[in-house]
Amino acid sequence: MDDKCEMTQETVGEISPADEDPYAYLSRDFSSENFKIEIKNMPRYYGICEFRKLLNNTLKLNSNKIKTPKRNSSYAFVCFRNEEDRDKAIKVLTEYKWKGKQLHAIYAKPSADPLVKKRKKEFDDNNASKKQKNYNLPVNDQIKLSTIPLVDTEYEKQLSLKQEEIASILCNLGKDLASANLEIQSYIEKQQEKYNGLPCELMDIRFSNEINGYRNKCEFTIGINQENQLPTVGFRICAYVNGTTAIGPVEHLDHIPDSMKLAVKVFEEFVRSSDLEVFNAEFQTGHLKQFSVRTAPEQLMVIVGIHPQKLPSEKIAEFKEKLIEFFSKGPGKDAKVTSLYYEEIVKRGPGESRIPATFLWGETHNFETIMGLKFRISPEAFFQVNTKAAEVLYQSAIELAEPTENSTMIDVCCGTGTIGLSFAKHCGQILGLEIVPQAIVDAKENTIINNITNSDFFVGKAEDILGSVCYNSKFEDVFAVVDPPRAGLHQKAVQQLRKIKKINRLIYISCNPKMASKNFVDLGRRETKYLQGECFVPVKAVAVDLFPHTNHCELAILFKRWDLVKKELPTID
């Protein structure tokens, strides 16, 4: 163990930051940065997915990675897997006209390794920025700043700050909608007069009384603590792009429950005694990479993630046996793990899915209770990280939707069915759709566990199956609840929501309203050949604090069809 630490320190100290080569990674292993081009004169409006489809589907150019400095940038960088594909792309794109713009493609230099680049900058520049000054703080304080920056702020003040942030986002939404759709401009302006500059009513922020130890899931990184140079299980101080791969401990963080902290502590002993190296993100070497923990009442599921590199199957089998022994009979028994999984985390190519976790020992699932319903949770399944606050969120969504026994609720991005099944006793029918097959398996099992008979769930992308799912609705009153990933809904899913006339209203739940703002605006844009169907306008919104001590909260917005709003407000021109 000591030898391993000494090797780490020696390796770090061999080269002065001023002498490090920020392009050394290009020769260590394959990188598509070696085959990069710059495309100039891009059209004013385009989507990344739309651009990727043009490159790979229409022009058959086999692009590997697309990077733009900002949304709808006038230039973009595209990487390829080999020289032949790169050269073909330059020839094809330079002769191609897209959306009225004549594209122009040229060779581009590879990007410098951000970690090495930052080390060089810090070495050469003593006048560090405010962020860099934070790196001089003790590791515990750095981790606290990056995970729970508001922990030392009174909770009432935290709520006030979040309410103000949501109000600012809605204010901008109103301005964007007014300019994006002249037909609703008068309505938006009257709403802004009524609600102090907002396009809709914003209710007071809601929260759960449990503000500490609330997280039921965390993904911890396995790496090196920069203070003691020991292998550590915890959180990264910051993202790789900000110049460090250092890991800090988590036992002092208020939002993590004690049972999870104990699991981290005992597994850290396993890591430090293991003959497998800690994964090195800079050089892409080593094995021990991630430790995920999911808690539930009287249950604790752990998923140990490694990069197998070139380990023989016998070595991997031996590692799995050691894990089982450690948590079932060894020192790890103190953590009271009830479910143990093994996962291989490797770099994925375009279109490749994450390798599912392998069950090793104990129970196969966790079980949680929300609003009196019991839910089965798989390792990969989405489940809100704050169970108590999720109840507040789902109850708020029910209030916004105002469902009846003659309503069909479409649960888009349904996960394990938690939102849909929470609506079940308030609706006549629940129809859920989700891209993750295992989540749908869990959702269907959850209907059986809770003896719910008016629900059904379907596997597929929202943009592909939403229409066919809605076709199964039994009632005239059809509304959707959308709870997509952080980045928001796929553009095609928004198009489908607009196009399907049966859906008369929707509740959009977002954990990052800024990233979802394009979805919000697209729901309310004027009708075009790309956005067919009557637009939606925001009517009422509420924030729910699922993440105390952080800058984040959930936002639920009720959108209604414009023709429905006009009927309710006959004076609108």
Side-chain angles (χ1 to χ4, degrees):
M1 185 63 250
D2 293 338
D3 291 341
K4 199 188 298 186
C5 296
E6 287 173 5
M7 284 173 59
T8 304
Q9 290 173 317
E10 182 183 357
T11 303
V12 171
E14 280 178 354
I15 301 174
S16 165
D19 297 327
E20 283 190 275
D21 180 6
Y23 299 97
Y25 74 98
L26 296 172
S27 60
R28 282 199 295 267
D29 54 8
F30 169 78
S31 173
S32 58
E33 287 287 331
N34 277 310
F35 312 105
K36 186 164 74 172
I37 66 173
E38 180 182 355
I39 304 174
K40 297 183 177 183
N41 202 34
M42 295 283 284
R44 186 174 180 182
Y45 297 109
Y46 63 91
I48 289 297
C49 291
E50 181 184 16
F51 184 42
R52 181 178 290 109
K53 184 177 179 181
L54 169 72
L55 295 173
N56 295 343
N57 295 3
T58 304
L59 301 179
K60 309 294 183 185
L61 294 180
N62 300 320
S63 70
N64 181 51
K65 185 167 55 176
I66 299 172
K67 295 188 289 187
T68 57
K70 60 182 180 179
R71 184 187 296 275
N72 291 318
S73 173
S74 61
Y75 64 97
F77 295 100
V78 182
C79 298
F80 297 87
R81 292 187 173 276
N82 55 58
E83 184 177 342
E84 181 182 357
D85 286 346
R86 179 196 61 190
D87 293 346
K88 176 185 176 184
I90 288 177
K91 180 179 179 181
V92 171
L93 290 168
T94 299
E95 299 172 354
Y96 194 79
K97 194 172 185 178
W98 187 41
K99 294 190 173 185
K101 288 284 190 175
Q102 184 69 52
L103 302 181
H104 180 53
I106 61 174
Y107 294 107
K109 292 182 178 180
S111 299
D113 186 320
L115 184 69
V116 177
K117 186 178 178 181
K118 185 173 186 303
R119 282 204 294 254
K120 288 171 69 68
K121 185 177 186 303
E122 289 181 337
F123 184 83
D124 295 332
D125 186 4
N126 291 324
N127 297 318
S129 66
K130 182 178 179 181
K131 270 190 175 182
Q132 292 167 340
K133 288 178 181 177
N134 286 340
Y135 299 155
N136 295 325
L137 294 171
V139 168
N140 282 12
D141 291 340
Q142 293 183 52
I143 292 295
K144 193 164 72 169
L145 280 172
S146 66
T147 56
I148 46 173
L150 300 182
V151 69
D152 296 323
T153 303
E154 290 186 3
Y155 190 56
E156 287 296 324
K157 180 62 175 176
Q158 292 184 35
L159 295 174
S160 176
L161 290 170
K162 294 180 182 185
Q163 182 79 351
E164 290 174 8
E165 174 67 12
I166 293 301
S168 176
I169 290 171
L170 289 176
C171 183
N172 290 331
L173 172 60
K175 295 175 183 177
D176 291 340
L177 286 173
S179 61
N181 191 341
L182 295 179
E183 185 181 359
I184 65 172
Q185 189 177 73
S186 175
Y187 168 77
I188 294 295
E189 289 173 350
K190 289 181 180 180
Q191 292 290 90
Q192 289 168 329
E193 292 176 6
K194 184 177 181 180
Y195 296 115
N196 195 27
L198 306 184
C200 65
E201 177 186 355
L202 174 61
M203 295 184 283
D204 291 338
I205 190 169
R206 300 178 179 183
F207 57 94
S208 164
N209 290 325
E210 294 184 8
I211 63 173
N212 292 323
Y214 60 83
R215 286 197 67 99
N216 58 45
K217 179 188 177 185
C218 280
E219 293 182 350
F220 302 101
T221 300
I222 306 170
I224 300 297
N225 185 320
Q226 67 178 11
E227 288 189 334
N228 57 28
Q229 295 299 314
L230 288 173
T232 299
V233 181
F235 288 143
R236 276 191 177 181
I237 291 173
C238 65
Y240 183 95
V241 72
N242 289 327
T244 181
T245 60
I247 304 299
V250 297
E251 63 266 12
H252 62 297
L253 300 179
D254 290 5
H255 65 322
I256 300 177
D258 290 340
S259 60
M260 201 177 282
K261 291 177 181 177
L262 178 59
V264 167
K265 183 178 179 180
V266 298
F267 183 67
E268 194 171 78
E269 296 176 13
F270 178 90
V271 170
R272 292 180 178 179
S273 63
S274 175
D275 57 352
L276 295 184
E277 294 284 341
V278 168
F279 183 76
N280 184 309
E282 181 179 358
F283 298 100
Q284 297 291 303
T285 58
H287 305 90
L288 299 169
K289 191 171 185 179
Q290 184 173 287
F291 184 64
S292 301
V293 185
R294 303 191 81 143
T295 63
E298 307 300 322
Q299 290 183 302
L300 193 142
M301 175 188 291
V302 301
I303 306 103
V304 178
I306 77 163
H307 192 307
Q309 304 290 4
K310 296 181 180 179
L311 286 176
S313 57
E314 298 81 8
K315 187 67 176 178
I316 292 177
E318 178 188 338
F319 177 75
K320 292 177 181 179
E321 289 299 322
K322 287 182 178 179
L323 281 176
I324 296 172
E325 175 71 20
F326 179 79
F327 283 113
S328 64
K329 299 177 182 178
K333 190 175 182 180
D334 293 342
K336 298 181 180 178
V337 170
T338 57
S339 179
L340 176 62
Y341 279 83
Y342 162 88
E343 182 180 15
E344 294 188 356
I345 305 175
V346 298
K347 191 174 183 179
R348 288 176 283 169
E352 292 181 354
S353 302
R354 187 168 180 166
I355 301 171
T358 302
F359 173 69
L360 296 182
W361 171 82
E363 301 169 3
T364 56
H365 298 81
N366 276 3
F367 289 88
E368 265 287 10
T369 301
I370 288 185
M371 298 180 70
L373 301 174
K374 188 176 182 181
F375 292 97
R376 188 179 86 162
I377 306 166
S378 298
E380 299 89 357
F382 171 77
F383 192 83
Q384 294 286 0
V385 299
N386 186 336
T387 307
K388 293 296 182 183
E391 291 188 334
V392 179
L393 177 64
Y394 296 166
Q395 185 58 50
S396 299
I398 292 170
E399 291 177 22
L400 289 174
E402 297 183 331
T404 71
E405 61 182 11
N406 294 317
S407 301
T408 293
M409 182 268 214
I410 310 296
D411 188 0
V412 184
C413 308
C414 67
T416 58
T418 49
I419 297 180
L421 297 181
S422 297
F423 270 80
K425 67 180 181 181
H426 303 278
C427 297
Q429 183 185 29
I430 305 297
L431 299 173
L433 54 149
E434 167 65 51
I435 193 173
V436 181
Q438 184 55 51
I440 291 297
V441 173
D442 285 344
K444 291 183 176 181
E445 182 64 25
N446 288 330
T447 63
I448 297 172
I449 293 171
N450 293 287
N451 195 29
I452 294 174
T453 58
N454 64 341
S455 303
D456 203 357
F457 296 91
F458 306 87
V459 178
K461 295 180 180 179
E463 56 267 29
D464 293 338
I465 68 170
L466 186 56
S468 60
V469 169
C470 287
Y471 181 80
N472 292 308
S473 60
K474 298 178 180 178
F475 303 99
E476 290 299 316
D477 180 40
V478 180
F479 68 93
V481 176
V482 179
D483 186 15
R486 183 176 298 272
L489 276 177
H490 192 286
Q491 177 68 13
K492 288 184 179 179
V494 176
Q495 292 172 351
Q496 286 296 310
L497 286 168
R498 285 278 302 257
K499 190 175 181 179
I500 299 170
K501 295 180 180 180
K502 277 189 174 183
I503 301 174
N504 59 57
R505 64 196 185 281
L506 68 89
I507 291 86
Y508 194 123
I509 298 173
S510 172
C511 63
N512 192 325
K514 284 186 176 180
M515 291 189 72
S517 61
K518 185 180 186 301
N519 284 171
F520 300 160
V521 176
D522 285 346
L523 287 169
R525 287 189 191 278
R526 65 181 177 84
E527 188 171 5
T528 68
K529 66 177 182 178
Y530 298 109
L531 284 170
Q532 299 176 16
E534 191 79 52
C535 72
F536 289 91
V537 294
V539 174
K540 187 179 289 189
V542 63
V544 181
D545 187 22
L546 265 74
F547 318 104
H549 310 318
T550 77
N551 294 312
H552 309 293
C553 66
E554 297 270 353
L555 173 63
I557 305 178
L558 168 63
F559 289 87
K560 287 187 178 180
R561 291 280 188 184
W562 174 231
D563 56 356
L564 185 62
V565 172
K566 284 191 290 187
K567 289 179 182 177
E568 295 174 351
L569 301 169
T571 58
I572 295 294
D573 295 328

